[in-house]
Amino acid sequence: ANAALDADLERFLTIRGSQYQEGIETDLKDMVTALRLLQSDPVTRDKPQMSQLDNTHALLQSEITYLLMAESIGASSGSTNRQIVAAYTDIEKAKELLRSLTDSILVDLQASAEAQNRIASRVQTQSLILGGIVLFIAVLATLAVNWRLRGITVLPQVAAAIASGDLERVAPAERKDEIGSLGLAFNAM
């Protein structure tokens, strides 16, 4: 909006056409809209440049209004020239404040992106560690179940051998759990 205002103001001051006056008025409305959007945005609202930009815009608006009406109110050329210089100074100041605001927002966004990258890296590391722990527990559980059930796989073979006439066959009964008790029952039988 500042660049358009700058160009339209220059055309108006050079040519003095009413179409340029309308363009300037439109540019000022666009600046007000853009300023309101910046003020409503939580990222830019509290930036120090915003109050300076607001003040500069108010000065610029009064200077431009004076320049648009200077001819009709019979303003002196010296007064008009001072207003022109002030208007262009404030346009440049507004441009600089917008650049500064943009740079400040960019720094904040970069810091936020870096923080998000650190968080994502931590989450990824924690996920890998958790996956490793789950895999370790699954392997331990599998080994424990295999060890607990190892005696049961031998008992059907012993039963089949005894049923086929091998009465000297003995089931393993060293364990002190249900499988060991089952092995003792087979042997007693």
Side-chain angles (χ1 to χ4, degrees), residues 4-64:
L5 176 64
D6 193 358
D8 286 340
L9 182 61
E10 188 174 325
R11 288 185 199 111
F12 173 76
L13 293 172
T14 305
I15 301 171
R16 299 270 182 200
S18 63
Q19 70 271 20
Y20 299 117
Q21 183 173 347
E22 291 170 5
I24 290 171
E25 290 168 352
T26 301
D27 295 338
L28 286 173
K29 287 178 187 174
D30 290 346
M31 285 179 64
V32 168
T33 302
L35 193 58
R36 283 188 185 140
L37 284 172
L38 287 172
Q39 289 169 338
S40 68
D41 188 343
V43 173
T44 57
R45 180 182 317 137
D46 299 328
K47 297 285 185 189
Q49 296 93 337
M50 282 306 299
S51 63
Q52 294 174 343
L53 192 57
D54 201 16
N55 292 339
T56 302
H57 179 264
L59 286 172
L60 184 59
Q61 197 157 19
S62 68
E63 293 159 355
I64 298 291

Side-chain angles (χ1 to χ4, degrees), residues 136-184:
F136 179 73
I137 290 171
V139 167
L140 282 180
T142 302
L143 291 174
V145 167
N146 281 343
W147 180 80
R148 297 271 304 163
L149 297 178
R150 186 176 29 179
I152 288 183
T153 59
V154 174
L155 292 177
Q157 295 169 355
V158 171
I162 292 172
S164 61
D166 184 5
L167 299 178
E168 298 300 317
R169 189 75 178 255
V170 178
E174 306 87 39
R175 294 172 51 166
K176 304 274 189 255
D177 58 5
E178 295 82 9
I179 296 173
S181 297
L182 192 56
L184 286 173

